Amino acid sequence: MAHELESIPLSNNRVGRRIHEIASDILIQLMERVKNVNYALQLDESTDISSSSKLLAFIRYSFKGKLNEDMLFCLALEGKCTGDNIFMALDKKLHELGLSWDRCVGICTDGAGAILGKKKGLKAKVHNVAPHIRFTHCVIHREALACKAIVPELKTVFDTAVKIVNYIKSRPLNARLFASLCKDMGSDHEALLLHTEIRWLSRGKVFTRLYQLRDEVRLFPLDSSSEFSVFMTDSNWLGKLVYLSCIIDKLNELNLSIQVPNTNIFSLFDKINAFSKKLEQWISRGEEGNIEMFPELEEFGEENELCLDNLKAIIVNHLRNLLNHFKKYFFRRVRSRTV
C-alpha cells in the first residue's frame, strides 16, 4: 500500500501547499512555547545572491528547563536598510507573531552601523521602546574580524595563492586539464579547492591543498599567468604558505568551537581567552626560535634543509599582531563594560 501511495504523482501546487502547511504548524508550535517566557533575539541583515536584502532572526528561549534556539523568520527588506527601516520591519513582524518587547531581554547582532548606531541605528530605536534590552556584538563575528589581521609579508602570499587557485579552479577548461594532469601524475587529489571571501572557513584547507599539489601547479601551463608557477619552486614562499595553512587551521578550529548550540557568553569568552594565552605562548616560543607548535612548517623546513630564521621573525610579528586584534575586539570591551 505504501509503495502504491509513493507512486502517485503530486503537483507543484500540492507540494508547495504542504510545505507551507508544515511551516505554519511549526511556527504555531514555536509561538506556543515563547508567548509567555522571556526570550533573546539574534539578528543579521545581509544581501543574498539576487541582491535582495534579508533580515534573518533567530530566537533563544527556555522550554522545559532547557535553552532552545530556533529560526524565527527571514524577512525581505525593501528600499534602504537604515536603522529606521530595519526597526519598523522587526517591530511589525514581532507584533504579527504576538511577541512583546517587554519579554525580550537581549539582542545579538554584528557591528554594522545601521544596527548599533547610537542615534539612528536599530539599537537606538529599540531602546526607545524597550530600554532594558541589552545589545551584544556577536562573538563569532568579532573572532572573524580579529582573524583578518595579517602582516604585509604574508598578505602578498595570501593574495597570490588565492589568484593561483582561482585561476585554475574557476575556469572549467583549466579545472579539467588540471584534473587530468593530477590523474596522470598519480596525485592524491585531482582538484584545488576554490576560495571566495564568503567561504572564509575553507581558507586553511585551500592553502593546504595548494601546497600538496605544488608540483602539479608548477607543471600546469598557466598561459599569461605563467609567472605563478615560479612560486611553486620558491622555498621561502612555500614556507609562508605552509605557515598560513597552519595558523588558519587553528583559527578555524577556534571558530568552529564557538559555533555550538545552547552556549553562553561566559563559555565563549573562556575559549577566546584560552586561545589568546596560546598566542602569548607561541610568541614566546617563536622569539626563542621554536616553531614546534606548527609541526607541518617544522617538517617542511627539515625536508628542504631551510633556515627559517627570517620566517620565524615574520611569524612572531604576525602572532603579535593577531593577539593585539583579539585584545581590541574582546578584552578591552569587556573591561570598559565592567567600569
Side-chain angles (χ1 to χ4, degrees), residues 117-129:
K118 294 182 180 180
K119 295 182 178 180
K120 297 183 179 180
L122 173 67
K123 180 179 179 179
K125 304 301 178 183
V126 170
H127 280 167
N128 287 337
V129 297

PDB file of all heavy atoms in Angstrom, residues 117-129:
ATOM      1  N   GLY A 117      24.091  51.934  15.603  1.00  0.00           N
ATOM      2  CA  GLY A 117      24.172  53.395  15.655  1.00  0.00           C
ATOM      3  C   GLY A 117      23.486  53.950  16.896  1.00  0.00           C
ATOM      4  O   GLY A 117      22.381  53.548  17.239  1.00  0.00           O
ATOM      5  N   LYS A 118      24.156  54.906  17.566  1.00  0.00           N
ATOM      6  CA  LYS A 118      23.635  55.431  18.831  1.00  0.00           C
ATOM      7  C   LYS A 118      22.433  56.351  18.647  1.00  0.00           C
ATOM      8  O   LYS A 118      21.625  56.524  19.565  1.00  0.00           O
ATOM      9  CB  LYS A 118      24.740  56.197  19.558  1.00  0.00           C
ATOM     10  CG  LYS A 118      25.900  55.304  20.012  1.00  0.00           C
ATOM     11  CD  LYS A 118      26.936  56.113  20.761  1.00  0.00           C
ATOM     12  CE  LYS A 118      28.088  55.230  21.225  1.00  0.00           C
ATOM     13  NZ  LYS A 118      29.124  56.014  21.957  1.00  0.00           N
ATOM     14  N   LYS A 119      22.291  56.961  17.460  1.00  0.00           N
ATOM     15  CA  LYS A 119      21.202  57.910  17.242  1.00  0.00           C
ATOM     16  C   LYS A 119      20.161  57.385  16.250  1.00  0.00           C
ATOM     17  O   LYS A 119      18.965  57.530  16.481  1.00  0.00           O
ATOM     18  CB  LYS A 119      21.764  59.247  16.745  1.00  0.00           C
ATOM     19  CG  LYS A 119      22.650  59.943  17.777  1.00  0.00           C
ATOM     20  CD  LYS A 119      23.132  61.286  17.242  1.00  0.00           C
ATOM     21  CE  LYS A 119      23.985  62.019  18.282  1.00  0.00           C
ATOM     22  NZ  LYS A 119      24.466  63.330  17.763  1.00  0.00           N
ATOM     23  N   LYS A 120      20.629  56.804  15.147  1.00  0.00           N
ATOM     24  CA  LYS A 120      19.696  56.387  14.104  1.00  0.00           C
ATOM     25  C   LYS A 120      19.722  54.883  13.842  1.00  0.00           C
ATOM     26  O   LYS A 120      19.006  54.397  12.977  1.00  0.00           O
ATOM     27  CB  LYS A 120      20.015  57.124  12.798  1.00  0.00           C
ATOM     28  CG  LYS A 120      19.853  58.632  12.884  1.00  0.00           C
ATOM     29  CD  LYS A 120      20.116  59.298  11.541  1.00  0.00           C
ATOM     30  CE  LYS A 120      19.933  60.802  11.609  1.00  0.00           C
ATOM     31  NZ  LYS A 120      20.196  61.457  10.297  1.00  0.00           N
ATOM     32  N   GLY A 121      20.530  54.161  14.583  1.00  0.00           N
ATOM     33  CA  GLY A 121      20.626  52.718  14.374  1.00  0.00           C
ATOM     34  C   GLY A 121      19.473  51.960  15.008  1.00  0.00           C
ATOM     35  O   GLY A 121      18.657  52.513  15.753  1.00  0.00           O
ATOM     36  N   LEU A 122      19.429  50.657  14.705  1.00  0.00           N
ATOM     37  CA  LEU A 122      18.386  49.807  15.278  1.00  0.00           C
ATOM     38  C   LEU A 122      18.453  49.819  16.800  1.00  0.00           C
ATOM     39  O   LEU A 122      17.416  49.828  17.477  1.00  0.00           O
ATOM     40  CB  LEU A 122      18.559  48.372  14.749  1.00  0.00           C
ATOM     41  CG  LEU A 122      17.656  47.315  15.387  1.00  0.00           C
ATOM     42  CD1 LEU A 122      16.203  47.562  15.022  1.00  0.00           C
ATOM     43  CD2 LEU A 122      18.077  45.908  14.953  1.00  0.00           C
ATOM     44  N   LYS A 123      19.647  49.842  17.343  1.00  0.00           N
ATOM     45  CA  LYS A 123      19.817  49.834  18.796  1.00  0.00           C
ATOM     46  C   LYS A 123      19.117  51.037  19.432  1.00  0.00           C
ATOM     47  O   LYS A 123      18.417  50.890  20.442  1.00  0.00           O
ATOM     48  CB  LYS A 123      21.308  49.852  19.140  1.00  0.00           C
ATOM     49  CG  LYS A 123      21.605  49.857  20.627  1.00  0.00           C
ATOM     50  CD  LYS A 123      23.109  49.840  20.881  1.00  0.00           C
ATOM     51  CE  LYS A 123      23.422  49.860  22.374  1.00  0.00           C
ATOM     52  NZ  LYS A 123      24.881  49.826  22.626  1.00  0.00           N
ATOM     53  N   ALA A 124      19.282  52.212  18.846  1.00  0.00           N
ATOM     54  CA  ALA A 124      18.646  53.410  19.392  1.00  0.00           C
ATOM     55  C   ALA A 124      17.124  53.303  19.314  1.00  0.00           C
ATOM     56  O   ALA A 124      16.412  53.693  20.252  1.00  0.00           O
ATOM     57  CB  ALA A 124      19.136  54.646  18.635  1.00  0.00           C
ATOM     58  N   LYS A 125      16.610  52.798  18.208  1.00  0.00           N
ATOM     59  CA  LYS A 125      15.159  52.673  18.027  1.00  0.00           C
ATOM     60  C   LYS A 125      14.566  51.672  19.008  1.00  0.00           C
ATOM     61  O   LYS A 125      13.486  51.891  19.564  1.00  0.00           O
ATOM     62  CB  LYS A 125      14.848  52.254  16.587  1.00  0.00           C
ATOM     63  CG  LYS A 125      15.426  53.184  15.534  1.00  0.00           C
ATOM     64  CD  LYS A 125      14.925  54.610  15.683  1.00  0.00           C
ATOM     65  CE  LYS A 125      15.560  55.521  14.641  1.00  0.00           C
ATOM     66  NZ  LYS A 125      15.138  56.934  14.815  1.00  0.00           N
ATOM     67  N   VAL A 126      15.266  50.557  19.219  1.00  0.00           N
ATOM     68  CA  VAL A 126      14.771  49.545  20.163  1.00  0.00           C
ATOM     69  C   VAL A 126      14.778  50.088  21.577  1.00  0.00           C
ATOM     70  O   VAL A 126      13.823  49.890  22.349  1.00  0.00           O
ATOM     71  CB  VAL A 126      15.620  48.260  20.064  1.00  0.00           C
ATOM     72  CG1 VAL A 126      15.271  47.300  21.199  1.00  0.00           C
ATOM     73  CG2 VAL A 126      15.404  47.582  18.712  1.00  0.00           C
ATOM     74  N   HIS A 127      15.834  50.824  21.954  1.00  0.00           N
ATOM     75  CA  HIS A 127      15.917  51.366  23.312  1.00  0.00           C
ATOM     76  C   HIS A 127      14.862  52.428  23.578  1.00  0.00           C
ATOM     77  O   HIS A 127      14.537  52.712  24.733  1.00  0.00           O
ATOM     78  CB  HIS A 127      17.318  51.931  23.565  1.00  0.00           C
ATOM     79  CG  HIS A 127      18.317  50.872  23.907  1.00  0.00           C
ATOM     80  ND1 HIS A 127      19.675  51.090  23.932  1.00  0.00           N
ATOM     81  CD2 HIS A 127      18.151  49.572  24.243  1.00  0.00           C
ATOM     82  CE1 HIS A 127      20.300  49.977  24.272  1.00  0.00           C
ATOM     83  NE2 HIS A 127      19.407  49.038  24.458  1.00  0.00           N
ATOM     84  N   ASN A 128      14.316  53.017  22.524  1.00  0.00           N
ATOM     85  CA  ASN A 128      13.229  53.969  22.713  1.00  0.00           C
ATOM     86  C   ASN A 128      11.966  53.293  23.235  1.00  0.00           C
ATOM     87  O   ASN A 128      11.176  53.906  23.965  1.00  0.00           O
ATOM     88  CB  ASN A 128      12.913  54.693  21.402  1.00  0.00           C
ATOM     89  CG  ASN A 128      13.979  55.713  21.034  1.00  0.00           C
ATOM     90  OD1 ASN A 128      14.722  56.203  21.890  1.00  0.00           O
ATOM     91  ND2 ASN A 128      14.057  56.040  19.751  1.00  0.00           N
ATOM     92  N   VAL A 129      11.755  52.028  22.835  1.00  0.00           N
ATOM     93  CA  VAL A 129      10.545  51.301  23.256  1.00  0.00           C
ATOM     94  C   VAL A 129      10.845  50.276  24.340  1.00  0.00           C
ATOM     95  O   VAL A 129       9.938  49.861  25.077  1.00  0.00           O
ATOM     96  CB  VAL A 129       9.869  50.610  22.052  1.00  0.00           C
ATOM     97  CG1 VAL A 129       9.410  51.639  21.041  1.00  0.00           C
ATOM     98  CG2 VAL A 129      10.815  49.603  21.392  1.00  0.00           C
TER      99      VAL A 129
END
